[in-house]
Amino acid sequence: MYERKQLKIIQSRLAERKNLIQVITGPRQVGKTTLAIQLTKKINVPFHFVSADAVPSSNTIWIQQQWDFVRTKLKTSGSNTYLLIIDEVQKINNWSELIKKEWDKDRRNSLNIRVILLGSSTLLISKGLSESLMGRFELIQLPHWSYSEMSDAFGFTANDFVYFGSYPGSAHLISDESRWKDYIRNSIIEPTISKDILQLTNIQKPALLKNLFELGCIFSGEVLSYTKILGQLTDAGNTTTLAQYQKLLDEVWLLSGLQKFSGSKIKSRSSSPKWMVYNTSLSSVYEDLNFKSIKNDQVKWGRKVEQTIGAHLINSARVNNFNVYYWRDVNEEVDFVIQKNNKIIPIEVKIGRVKSHKGLIVFSKKFNIKKSVLVSDEAFKWEDLLKLDVIDLF
């Protein structure tokens, strides 16, 4: 079974003397539970692995019961350490306060119980961590799978990755596009929107949120203002509502709205967003043409490649804490601008032979940039950029 690099990170943290709650979060269907199972096979620490998936949300004593069981096992096992892993912890009402209570109790009684929490709902996990568990946890974000991971685990070619994206559960379905699209819609998109957003937040217009998501996927890689988006929606709304819904879609790793780079945070926030999916499968399911037809259309394929690079950048940005923008000034533009602290790198994507990359030149002069990246057949090939750990560019 393929092992993601985050497995070594959490394994090394459990081996440290420092004891903090380890929280593993990320989008649905990327292997959080699998990672925890793999971990249990690599450590020599006794463990208790439970899931709250089928537990009634009102059963608030359930967490205490699991903890008491582990405390008993710790006393009788002869070990000085015990590991408690709770999957889908966010499904228990007031879970973060309950975790805090039991965790603090162990600290007072000098019990060395290690804790790993897994959650498929990024929204609810984030809320609980910020409200109750500050200073008690470390976060391990499990992003969408990279091209290198899909290649090593499932034999994906770069072209496969561009169109079919990177949900591991769908990898064996790509030979049947109709079946593959059904899986992405029913096992990824629908539960993420219905369970992770609509059930957990006060959404006044759920149809509007779903329509916004679909349009964002269709126009992934394009700059489109909220006003223009409203013009294509049948449900009434306003730009403020759309911006709030886009933020929710971004938090659950579905759809990002990149802001224009200006050197000013205020100006960036007021710009029209460049829509970008976190996983290209999310845009491919709304394509009218199939994989072969899009691959043979240079314009459409170039757009898919740009989407793929954008997805690669924003997934890395979530994990490595840097920002991703686009830039446009009259007729000149740069596809992506990445920024970490005071380091700024513009990235322009060209498929085929490059006729001009004036945008990079203008941007570099305007902002006094020393390093830029041109992705083309004659320079940095897009396949190579997808294999790169983006943080290494800095």
Side-chain angles (χ1 to χ4, degrees):
M1 187 177 291
Y2 186 82
E3 296 179 357
R4 302 193 71 181
K5 65 181 182 181
Q6 288 80 4
L7 178 60
K8 290 184 178 179
I9 294 174
I10 193 166
Q11 191 175 357
S12 65
R13 288 184 182 180
L14 289 179
E16 296 173 350
R17 294 185 62 184
K18 186 177 182 180
N19 186 5
L20 292 171
I21 298 171
Q22 300 298 314
V23 181
I24 303 175
T25 188
R28 281 183 173 267
Q29 299 293 321
V30 295
K32 294 183 289 293
T33 303
T34 299
L35 182 104
I37 293 172
Q38 290 173 330
L39 175 70
T40 63
K41 296 177 180 179
K42 287 184 170 292
I43 59 177
N44 295 319
V45 176
F47 65 90
H48 181 49
F49 192 151
V50 289
S51 174
D53 196 27
V55 180
S57 59
S58 59
N59 188 359
T60 54
I61 199 173
W62 181 81
I63 288 178
Q64 180 186 333
Q65 290 171 336
Q66 305 309 313
W67 224 294
D68 285 341
F69 173 79
V70 170
R71 289 176 181 133
T72 300
K73 296 293 289 185
L74 177 62
K75 292 177 182 179
T76 60
S77 66
S79 174
N80 62 359
T81 304
Y82 218 96
L83 173 63
L84 171 60
I85 304 174
I86 305 179
D87 198 0
E88 299 291 357
V89 66
Q90 82 284 344
K91 295 195 173 182
I92 303 297
N93 290 342
N94 202 31
W95 68 271
S96 57
E97 282 293 336
L98 299 171
I99 294 290
K100 175 186 175 183
K101 176 183 175 183
E102 303 303 323
W103 176 261
D104 289 350
K105 184 177 179 180
D106 286 346
R107 305 285 76 72
R108 290 193 299 269
N109 296 325
S110 300
L111 294 179
N112 191 19
I113 295 176
R114 302 275 176 151
V115 178
I116 297 176
L117 305 178
L118 313 175
S120 60
S121 173
T122 308
L123 285 172
L124 203 54
I125 288 289
S126 300
K127 182 180 179 182
L129 296 179
S130 62
E131 289 182 352
S132 304
L133 295 174
M134 290 184 64
R136 296 170 174 83
F137 73 94
E138 288 182 288
L139 187 64
I140 296 177
Q141 297 196 85
L142 208 59
H144 291 277
W145 287 47
S146 67
Y147 165 51
S148 296
E149 289 176 314
M150 293 299 289
S151 175
D152 292 343
F154 304 106
F156 264 38
T157 65
N159 292 340
D160 291 336
F161 184 75
V162 167
Y163 184 84
F164 293 106
S166 59
Y167 286 108
S170 70
H172 68 292
L173 300 174
I174 65 173
S175 59
D176 184 343
E177 278 196 47
S178 177
R179 187 180 175 191
W180 172 80
K181 286 186 177 183
D182 285 342
Y183 175 89
I184 298 298
R185 288 193 183 100
N186 299 326
S187 296
I188 305 293
I189 296 174
E190 181 57 31
T192 302
I193 291 178
S194 298
K195 295 182 180 181
D196 295 347
I197 298 180
L198 297 183
Q199 288 184 8
L200 302 175
T201 56
N202 184 20
I203 301 297
Q204 298 294 327
K205 296 177 176 292
L208 182 64
L209 182 139
K210 291 181 179 180
N211 289 338
L212 173 65
F213 169 71
E214 291 180 7
L215 279 175
C217 291
I218 292 169
F219 289 102
S220 181
E222 298 185 30
V223 178
L224 200 63
S225 70
Y226 290 115
T227 302
K228 290 184 178 179
I229 285 282
L230 279 174
Q232 302 197 39
L233 296 172
T234 55
D235 195 2
N238 56 54
T239 57
T240 301
T241 300
L242 289 183
Q244 292 171 346
Y245 288 177
Q246 186 278 315
K247 184 179 179 181
L248 291 173
L249 292 167
D250 184 68
E251 288 188 37
V252 298
W253 302 74
L254 286 181
L255 181 68
S256 179
L258 305 185
Q259 298 303 308
K260 176 183 173 182
F261 181 86
S262 67
S264 167
K265 289 185 178 180
I266 295 176
K267 289 183 179 179
S268 293
R269 290 171 182 167
S270 64
S271 65
S272 297
K274 180 173 183 175
W275 301 91
M276 192 62 57
V277 290
Y278 273 90
N279 191 314
T280 52
S281 63
L282 301 174
S283 58
S284 294
V285 295
Y286 296 105
E287 295 282 2
D288 294 328
L289 301 177
N290 62 18
F291 173 40
K292 183 177 180 181
S293 298
I294 290 178
K295 178 66 179 68
N296 292 331
D297 185 319
Q298 187 174 2
V299 174
K300 291 183 180 297
W301 186 247
R303 180 169 170 247
K304 291 298 294 184
V305 170
E306 182 183 333
Q307 289 176 11
T308 309
I309 291 174
H312 183 50
L313 295 176
I314 60 178
N315 274 279
S316 180
R318 286 281 286 265
V319 176
N320 295 298
N321 298 311
F322 63 86
N323 296 315
V324 184
Y325 305 94
Y326 74 94
W327 178 77
R328 180 177 290 177
D329 185 14
V330 191
N331 295 323
E332 305 304 332
E333 63 179 340
V334 173
D335 291 320
F336 304 104
V337 178
I338 57 176
Q339 179 181 22
K340 189 171 179 65
N341 300 324
N342 62 343
K343 294 184 178 179
I344 301 168
I345 302 174
I347 301 174
E348 180 66 17
V349 182
K350 302 287 187 183
I351 303 302
R353 296 184 65 83
V354 178
K355 295 180 181 179
S356 172
H357 54 275
K358 186 179 177 182
L360 275 182
I361 297 172
V362 173
F363 179 89
S364 297
K365 287 183 178 179
K366 181 178 179 67
F367 295 101
N368 193 28
I369 302 300
K370 306 300 182 183
K371 178 180 180 179
S372 62
V373 176
L374 174 63
V375 179
S376 73
D377 291 348
E378 301 161 341
F380 202 145
K381 290 182 169 50
W382 62 266
E383 298 94 334
D384 293 331
L385 181 59
L386 292 179
K387 294 177 183 177
L388 182 71
D389 191 342
V390 180
I391 198 68
D392 291 339
L393 287 175
F394 293 104

